[in-house]
RNA sequence: GGAGAGGUAGCGAAGCUGGCCGUAACGCGCCCGACUCGAAAUCGGGUUACCGGUUAACAGCCGGUACGUGGGUUCGAAUCCCACCCUCUCCGCCA
C-alpha cells in the first residue's frame, strides 16, 4: 500500500507509475471514491459532533440532579440519521481501502521503464558458460539416469509439478540448504528462523499475496489458512504491528522453507523438470531497514545471493527488472539468472527486491527513531538465497560429463561427505 | 475437544455499580532539564495513532474515530448483551 497522500496530492505520479507498469488501473476511479469518502465523513462527523455535545449536556444535567429530558428529546432521531450515514461512510472507506490494497507499489526512479521482460536491463555477468564437446542432457535426463529424480512416482503420489528425490538428490537438496544457511548465518550476519509454513489471511495480505493474487495460493479447506508461496511471507510478518528500535536496524533473517504455488495460469510453461513446481525448497533472506539505508541493503543482499552462485561455480547474470516486469509489492528488483546449458539460456534462480514501505504500511511495521520521536515505517526487503530446486538443476546441467555423471562444486563436497562426482545410485 | 482466566499506549497495569476516563490513574521505558568533573541514583517536565475540515504545510487550530474483531441495547458503551478471533492455565487426545 502506498501513502494515501501521494494519491491525493500527486495523482499524476501514480498515473505515470501505473502506465510504466503497463497496468490498467484507473486513478480517476480512486479520486471519485475518495471524494465520496471525504464528503460522507465530513457530513457524518459533523452530526456526531452535535450528538457528542448534546450527550455532554445530558451528563452535566444528570450530575447536577436536573432533568435531562429536554436535551434527550430529538437525539434518537439524530442517532438514527447518524447510523444511516455511517453505514454509507464505512462503505466508502472500505471501497477506497480495497482500491488501495489492489494498487501495486511505485517503481523506484532507478528502475528502467519497460512493458515486459524484454526491457529488463542486464547489470553484470559472471562466469563463462561451459562449452561442451558432447550433446548436453537436461537435468531431467541426468537426474533420472542417475536414479535421483523420480517424477513418475511423484505424479502417482500427488500429480504433475511434483518430484520425489532419491539418494544423492535428496542429500544434495539438504546439502544446498545447509550450505546456504551456513554462509548466511556465519558470514553474512543473518539470524536463522524456522517459521510456520501455514499462515492466515491477514499475513498474506500484508506481504501483498492477497487480496489480489489468491489464485496463486494453496488454501486449506476448513479455515482461513494458506500455504506460504515463499518464506518472505512469514519472515516479513514477524514484526507486523511492532515498533522496532532504529538502533536494531537493519534486521536480517534467513529461513529455509518449502514454498507452495498453485501455478494457475502457467499451463504449458516449464512442464518438464524441476523448474516450475507446486512445491520447492528455498532459502530466503529478509531484511528490515531504515528508509535511508534500504537501497544499500538491497545491493548488499544482491551481492550475497551472487556470492552463493560464485561459490558454486555457476555462471550467472544479474538483471534489473523493468517497471512492467516487477512484482506487485516491489519498488526495485534484481533477478539473478543462472546458465542452463540444456536450455541454452539464463534462468531465474534468485529475486531480490526492495519493497520500501509498501508492506510496512500494510502491516504497520515501524521503528522508533534514535532520540525518540514519531515512529516511522521501516523498509522491507526480500531475496532468494537461493532457490534450492533450481540450484540443483544448474549443478546437474553445468557439471555434467559425457558419461552422464556430474561433478559437484567444491563448496558442496563437505556437505556431501566428500563426494565429488555423482555417478549413480549412492 | 472440555473447564477457567484474559486481550486497554512502546511495555506492564488500573478502570469494568454506563456520562469531565482516553492526549487513559500508577509503574517501567524513552526524550528534555536540574544536580554532578562525568555517570548512577534522585528531583522536575514531556511522550497515542489514524481520519476529516482549514492550510503552502506531514505546523497550528477545530472536529471525528479507536479499549481483540464484528454486531446489539441506549440520548450516551472500555463498562451491559450476542457472535467470532487470539493468548494463557488445567484436563483429554496426540508427533
Amino acid at each position: 500500500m502506498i501513502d494515501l497522500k501521494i494519491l491525493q496530492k500527486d495523482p499524476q505520479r501514480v498515473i505515470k507509475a501505473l502506465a510504466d507498469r503497463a497496468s490498467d488501473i484507473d486513478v480517476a476511479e480512486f479520486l471519485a471514491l475518495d471524494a465520496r469518502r471525504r464528503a460522507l465523513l465530513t457530513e457524518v462527523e459533523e452530526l456526531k459532533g452535535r450528538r457528542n455535545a448534546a450527550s455532554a449536556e445530558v451528563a452535566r444535567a444528570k450530575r447536577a440532579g436536573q432533568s435531562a429530558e429536554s436535551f434527550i428529546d430529538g437525539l434518537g432521531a439524530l442517532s438514527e440519521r447518524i447510523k444511516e450515514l455511517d453505514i454509507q461512510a464505512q462503505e466508502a472507506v472500505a471501497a477506497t481501502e480495497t482500491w488501495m490494497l489492489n494498487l501495486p507499489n511505485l517503481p523506484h526512479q532507478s528502475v528502467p521503464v519497460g512493458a515486459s521482460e524484454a526491457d529488463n536491463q542486464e547489470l553484470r555477468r559472471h562466469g563463462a558458460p561451459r562449452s561442451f564437446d558432447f550433446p548436453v542432457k537436461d537435468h531431467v535426463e541426468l537426474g533420472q539416469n542417475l536414479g535421483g529424480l523420480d517424477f513418475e512416482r511423484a505424479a502417482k503420489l500427488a500429480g504433475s509439478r511434483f518430484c520425489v528425490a532419491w539418494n544423492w538428490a535428496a542429500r544434495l537438496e539438504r546439502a544446498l540448504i545447509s550450505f546456504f544457511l551456513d554462509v548466511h548465518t556465519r558470514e553474512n550476519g543473518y539470524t536463522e528462523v524456522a517459521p510456520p509454513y501455514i499462515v492466515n489471511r491477514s499475513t498474506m495480505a500484508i506481504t501483498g499475496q492477497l487480496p489480489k493474487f489468491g489464485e496463486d495460493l494453496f488454501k486449506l479447506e476448513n479455515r482461513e489458512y494458506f500455504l506460504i508461496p515463499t518464506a518472505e511471507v512469514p519472515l516479513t510478518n514477524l514484526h507486523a504491528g511492532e515498533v522496532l528500535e532504529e538502533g536494531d536496524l537493519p534486521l536480517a533473517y534467513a529461513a529455509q522453507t518449502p514454498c507452495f504455488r498453485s501455478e494457475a495460469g502457467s499451463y504449458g510453461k516449464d512442464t518438464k523438470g524441476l523448474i516450475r513446481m507446486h512445491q520447492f525448497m528455498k532459502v530466503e533472506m529478509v531484511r528490515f531497514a531504515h528508509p535511508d539505508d534500504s537501497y544499500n541493503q538491497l545491493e548488499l543482499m544482491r551481492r550475497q545471493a551472487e556470492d552463493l552462485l560464485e561459490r558454486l561455480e555457476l555462471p550467472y547474470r544479474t538483471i534489473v527488472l523493468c517497471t512492467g516486469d516487477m512484482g506487485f509489492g516491489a519498488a526495485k528488483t534484481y533477478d539473478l539468472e543462472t546458465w542452463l546449458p540444456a536450455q541454452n539460456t539464463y534462468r531465474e534462480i534468485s529475486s531480490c527486491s526492495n519493497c520500501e514501505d509498501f508492506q510496512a504500511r500494510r502491516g504497520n511495521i515501524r521503528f522508533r527513531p534514535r532520540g525518540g520521536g514519531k515512529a516511522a515505517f521501516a523498509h522491507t526487503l526480500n531475496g532468494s538465497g537461493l532457490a534450492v530446486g533450481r540450484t540443483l538443476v544448474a549443478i546437474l546441467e553445468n557439471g555434467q560429463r559425457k558419461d552422464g555423471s556430474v561433478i559437484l562444486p567444491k563448496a558442496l563436497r563437505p556437505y556431501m561427505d566428500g563426494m565429488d562426482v555423482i555417478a549413480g545410485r549412492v
Side-chain angles (χ1 to χ4, degrees):
Chain A
M1 184 147 56
I2 69 165
D3 188 349
L4 173 68
K5 289 191 176 61
I6 294 175
L7 269 162
Q8 291 173 334
K9 303 201 167 153
D10 194 3
Q12 286 308 320
R13 182 178 161 199
V14 181
I15 289 168
K16 166 81 163 62
L18 288 169
D20 289 348
R21 272 184 176 271
S23 165
D24 58 358
I25 292 178
D26 183 6
V27 174
E29 185 184 308
F30 168 82
L31 263 17
L33 287 173
D34 193 49
R36 175 173 162 78
R37 176 185 70 94
R38 291 200 272 183
L40 283 165
L41 281 179
T42 302
E43 191 178 358
V44 74
E45 284 176 6
E46 199 271 329
L47 295 182
K48 282 181 177 175
R50 267 158 59 187
R51 182 178 66 186
N52 288 347
S55 285
E57 290 300 319
V58 173
R60 198 167 297 132
K62 290 226 171 173
R63 268 198 310 279
Q66 297 163 355
S67 163
E69 292 310 309
S70 61
F71 297 115
I72 292 176
D73 275 351
L75 284 183
L78 179 59
S79 278
E80 281 306 309
R81 177 74 185 129
I82 287 173
K83 193 175 286 185
E84 290 166 18
L85 268 177
D86 220 15
I87 289 168
Q88 292 179 46
Q90 291 320 307
E91 284 170 355
V93 168
T96 55
E97 273 175 6
T98 300
W99 195 92
M100 298 264 303
L101 283 174
N102 284 296
L103 183 72
N105 202 358
L106 306 175
H108 188 254
Q109 62 263 24
S110 67
V111 172
V113 174
S116 74
E117 61 180 311
D119 299 311
N120 293 339
Q121 270 180 11
E122 187 172 305
L123 191 74
R124 60 191 293 261
R125 283 187 191 217
H126 183 278
R130 237 179 94 190
S131 57
F132 293 85
D133 54 6
F134 56 89
V136 294
K137 300 184 177 73
D138 69 12
H139 70 280
V140 177
E141 193 176 351
L142 290 163
Q144 287 177 331
N145 289 347
L146 291 166
L149 301 184
D150 183 348
F151 294 96
E152 289 74 20
R153 287 196 176 87
K156 176 171 71 180
L157 301 184
S160 64
R161 296 200 189 284
F162 289 94
C163 185
V164 174
W166 293 91
N167 296 303
W168 59 265
R171 180 67 186 270
L172 185 53
E173 175 173 85
R174 184 156 59 90
L176 284 166
I177 292 166
S178 294
F179 169 64
F180 293 155
L181 282 173
D182 282 350
V183 172
H184 291 319
T185 56
R186 291 174 185 166
E187 301 179 35
N188 296 338
Y190 285 84
T191 301
E192 184 170 348
V193 181
Y197 307 151
I198 299 175
V199 299
N200 60 32
R201 177 172 291 274
S202 156
T203 297
M204 283 295 185
I206 284 169
T207 30
Q209 282 72 26
L210 291 174
K212 205 168 181 176
F213 305 102
E215 67 277 8
D216 297 336
L217 301 172
F218 282 113
K219 181 177 182 304
L220 302 197
E221 260 203 45
N222 302 330
R223 300 179 61 167
E224 289 292 282
Y225 275 160
F226 302 84
L227 300 182
I228 56 169
T230 160
E232 168 200 346
V233 174
L235 293 187
T236 303
N237 273 277
L238 245 20
H239 294 301
E242 296 183 11
V243 180
L244 306 165
E245 293 298 329
E246 178 179 347
D248 291 338
L249 300 178
L251 291 167
Y253 300 140
Q256 55 124 342
T257 71
C259 303
F260 303 95
R261 301 188 180 178
S262 75
E263 293 299 342
S266 66
Y267 304 108
K269 274 166 73 178
D270 303 315
T271 51
K272 199 178 168 198
L274 290 175
I275 295 294
R276 192 173 298 277
M277 309 288 278
H278 286 310
Q279 174 191 318
F280 60 95
M281 293 300 297
K282 180 159 60 65
V283 172
E284 183 78 359
M285 308 175 279
V286 162
R287 301 182 84 93
F288 297 83
H290 188 285
D292 296 340
D293 187 43
S294 65
Y295 280 93
N296 296 331
Q297 297 294 317
L298 179 62
E299 298 303 318
L300 178 68
M301 184 179 271
R302 190 203 86 220
R303 271 305 304 156
Q304 288 166 346
E306 289 172 346
D307 175 58
L308 293 174
L309 288 169
E310 290 167 22
R311 294 192 198 203
L312 292 175
E313 305 160 48
L314 294 171
Y316 70 89
R317 64 173 190 169
T318 303
I319 60 177
V320 188
L321 295 194
C322 74
T323 51
D325 201 29
M326 271 199 305
F328 182 71
K332 182 169 187 175
T333 299
Y334 292 112
D335 270 8
L336 310 193
E337 299 180 334
T338 190
W339 178 256
L340 295 187
Q343 296 193 7
N344 198 39
T345 188
Y346 289 95
R347 289 300 303 256
E348 178 189 342
I349 199 164
S350 170
S351 189
C352 301
S353 298
N354 185 359
C355 296
E356 298 188 0
D357 64 5
F358 186 84
Q359 297 173 324
R361 279 179 191 282
R362 294 174 162 236
N364 210 19
I365 304 166
R366 294 173 295 166
F367 70 93
R368 180 85 56 197
R370 243 184 281 267
K374 196 175 154 174
F377 291 116
H379 281 193
T380 61
L381 302 94
N382 61 79
S384 348
L386 302 163
V388 175
R390 288 188 179 185
T391 306
L392 199 145
V393 170
I395 287 170
L396 291 182
E397 293 196 3
N398 284 285
Q400 65 180 296
R401 299 192 295 193
K402 193 170 185 177
D403 64 359
S405 64
V406 172
I407 301 185
L408 279 174
K410 290 183 190 67
L412 237 32
R413 294 178 192 172
Y415 292 92
M416 297 289 287
D417 283 341
M419 183 196 294
D420 53 359
V421 174
I422 303 168
R425 290 166 201 274
V426 180

